[in-house]
Amino acid sequence: MTSLRDLPSIDALLRASTALVDRYGHAQTTEALRRAVEEAREAALQGAPVPPEAELVARAAEALARAARPTLRPVINATGVILHTNLGRAPLSDEALAALAGIGGGYSTLEYDLEPGARGKRDRHIERILTAVTGAEAGLVVNNNAGGVLLALTALAGGRAAIISRGQLVEIGGAFRVPDVMAQSGAIMVEVGTTNRTHLRDYAAAIDERAACIVRAHASNFRVVGFTESVPLADLAALAHERGLLLLDDIGSGALLDTVQFGLSHEPTAQESLAAGADLVMFSGDKLLGGPQAGIIIGRADLIEALKRHPLARAIRADKLALAALAATLEHYRRGEALEKVPVWRMISMRPDAIRARAEAWAAQVSGEVVPAESTVGGGSLPGDTLPTWAFAPRVTQPNVTAARLRAGDPPIIARVSGDRLLLDPRTVLPEQDALVIAALKEH
Ligand SMILES: *Cc1c(COP(=O)(O)O)cnc(C)c1O
């Protein structure tokens, strides 16, 4: 029979915890040991046996490790959602990662011009590749697309009217709502048409002397079906230009490649938006482009120049790491190698039989079955679209319990529960992570 008197003193525990003291310091270690003893005392009062000294030290070590672990951690995405916003959207290519390390680990020419040895401009690093890849006259990169849209509206429509269809007053992921961004920019929002149908004449009737621009916002994350009508971008451009207005196009995801070739719906591309006559096109860096978080604005050189000079541009500028990774990502498009090199496009273009082979390889080592399933693009793009895939369904009795255990692992693995099955989709698991997935599954 053990008793409370068998609980070791903090001093004794500290003597047995020199490695912890070295690692976490005296104060933190003492506090963790105190807490472990306190918990053991309370458990003992409820009748639990008093744990031995080594067990108390182990519990303190675990608590210290848990507290020291960063909350921002890499995870393995086995959900099959390619642009998982909660999991950080686009994973970067090897070349983009190398660019991050190369620029982030030292000093750089961020705002330095080597030839004269004098101050240079951060914008120039990205503008040349951006225009080369998109065919735009000029371009600018800011912190994210929400910032890019805010900047464009503030600089070009502040205090004047911006005309937009009621079908495009979208909310993206909660924090970005078109009406709120309009209000923040100081533009007077003029809504035209209805939720499901907006005609060219609706826009035309709304144009008055206050009007600065027509805005189109891509309804990225939902679909209106049935009795619907929207105006083709080229018609909007013609109307805007005839009446002396600008056409600003927020295309959201910003694909540079056509999604249709992979059996998906068409996602607007930056190139076609320019070709249709948009004066400025705005999109994200970390959605279908497959790069770092960034807001990309391309289009007319005089407008881009006006945006660069606006005070808000300084407040939402892109940092050197994003610029480095974005330039490296865009380079894949210039070389025509995006499908092979940009992870997002590699995942989209992955053949189902190649995915099946990986799922079978997992199944050869862990008991379970390989089942047909569906991957999605996610990230607020291509709603309702799916890509046929093969998922591994390990044999488990309680899928939710196993899912929680996989999340508690290191690295955490995020799987999907569908009905009474736990599904792991190899499409979004990086190939070098296969061994980690198998090892984690074997433990359960
Ligand atoms: C995603 C999205 C945004 C916001 O882009 P962030 O880069 O996340 O700031 C804005 N507009 C549309 C249409 C979008 O799809």
Side-chain angles (χ1 to χ4, degrees):
M1 195 55 201
T2 54
S3 81
L4 284 181
R5 264 174 296 140
D6 296 326
L7 274 171
S9 72
I10 300 296
D11 276 343
L13 288 172
L14 268 172
R15 280 194 294 277
S17 308
T18 48
L20 293 182
V21 174
D22 286 347
R23 181 143 184 202
Y24 301 104
H26 188 270
Q28 270 203 74
T29 306
T30 308
E31 178 55 29
L33 291 168
R34 239 187 256 290
R35 208 165 289 159
V37 169
E38 196 43 49
E39 279 167 18
R41 185 192 313 280
E42 269 162 32
L45 287 172
Q46 307 293 320
V50 170
E53 183 177 288
E55 172 62 21
L56 288 165
V57 172
R59 287 183 193 174
E62 204 174 296
L64 285 164
R66 213 172 24 239
R69 199 156 62 190
T71 51
L72 179 59
R73 298 165 62 199
V75 302
I76 294 176
N77 175 11
T79 63
V81 181
I82 296 172
L83 289 169
H84 200 302
T85 296
N86 301 144
L87 303 183
R89 289 193 183 157
L92 297 176
S93 72
D94 291 342
E95 289 75 6
L97 291 175
L100 282 182
I103 295 302
Y107 299 99
S108 65
T109 56
L110 181 64
E111 292 185 355
Y112 190 77
D113 204 342
L114 288 171
E115 221 169 283
R119 190 178 192 289
K121 293 207 164 116
R122 76 169 56 208
D123 297 327
R124 76 196 161 99
H125 306 295
I126 200 77
E127 190 159 12
R128 200 167 348 131
I129 178 89
L130 197 50
T131 52
V133 168
T134 60
E137 221 173 84
L140 171 64
V141 174
V142 295
N143 181 62
N144 60 0
N145 189 31
V149 174
L150 178 64
L151 174 61
L153 287 171
T154 307
L156 304 173
R160 302 185 61 198
I163 303 169
I164 186 165
S165 161
R166 289 197 169 90
Q168 296 169 11
L169 300 180
V170 301
E171 171 177 312
I172 312 282
F176 179 93
R177 298 175 121 190
V178 168
D180 296 348
V181 175
M182 286 264 192
Q184 195 63 41
S185 74
I188 302 153
M189 182 169 73
V190 176
E191 304 170 30
V192 298
T194 61
T195 305
N196 56 328
R197 286 169 73 87
T198 303
H199 310 281
L200 190 62
R201 61 174 184 273
D202 295 326
Y203 287 95
I207 297 175
D208 59 18
E209 68 288 347
R210 299 175 308 168
C213 61
I214 293 175
V215 176
R216 185 185 76 158
H218 178 46
S220 303
N221 52 4
F222 69 101
R223 205 160 266 168
V224 181
V225 295
F227 189 54
T228 65
E229 178 158 334
S230 58
V231 181
L233 199 62
D235 295 353
L236 281 185
L239 174 66
H241 297 156
E242 190 186 299
R243 306 286 294 269
L245 309 188
L246 299 172
L247 176 61
L248 309 183
D249 193 15
D250 171 11
I251 59 172
S253 199
L256 296 179
L257 301 175
D258 193 356
T259 44
V260 170
Q261 57 184 315
F262 303 106
L264 297 165
S265 308
H266 180 69
E267 183 74 16
T269 68
Q271 300 92 325
E272 72 197 12
S273 183
L274 289 173
D279 297 291
L280 287 182
V281 182
M282 296 149 291
F283 52 102
S284 296
D286 55 354
K287 291 184 179 172
L288 280 171
L289 188 77
Q293 179 189 304
I296 299 168
I297 312 171
I298 54 174
R300 257 171 59 185
D302 59 327
L303 301 178
I304 293 290
E305 197 49 43
L307 298 195
K308 284 181 186 170
R309 277 202 297 266
H310 194 278
L312 186 57
R314 172 63 174 78
I316 58 168
R317 73 182 183 186
D319 88 306
K320 62 186 177 184
L321 298 182
L323 290 173
L326 185 60
T329 305
L330 289 168
E331 198 59 55
H332 295 311
Y333 290 91
R334 170 149 64 185
R335 294 198 202 119
E337 60 183 27
L339 286 185
E340 301 87 62
K341 297 276 195 167
V342 176
V344 164
W345 285 97
R346 212 161 51 208
M347 290 172 187
I348 289 175
S349 61
M350 220 174 255
R351 293 166 50 92
D353 48 346
I355 299 173
R356 186 179 194 169
R358 282 173 68 199
E360 301 279 7
W362 299 359
Q365 304 210 47
V366 184
S367 93
E369 50 179 342
V370 174
V371 297
E374 286 168 339
S375 317
T376 57
V377 174
S381 45
L382 300 164
D385 276 17
T386 56
L387 292 159
T389 192
W390 292 89
F392 176 58
R395 197 198 316 276
V396 297
T397 46
Q398 293 172 289
N400 283 308
V401 172
T402 307
R405 278 202 206 118
L406 290 172
R407 288 199 304 274
D410 190 21
I413 298 172
I414 318 297
R416 187 154 55 93
V417 175
S418 170
D420 55 359
R421 276 192 175 129
L422 182 66
L423 297 180
L424 291 96
D425 186 344
R427 188 190 295 272
T428 51
V429 174
L430 306 179
E432 62 270 24
Q433 296 172 332
D434 277 13
L436 290 167
V437 171
I438 291 167
L441 288 172
K442 276 183 173 170
E443 281 178 27
H444 299 294

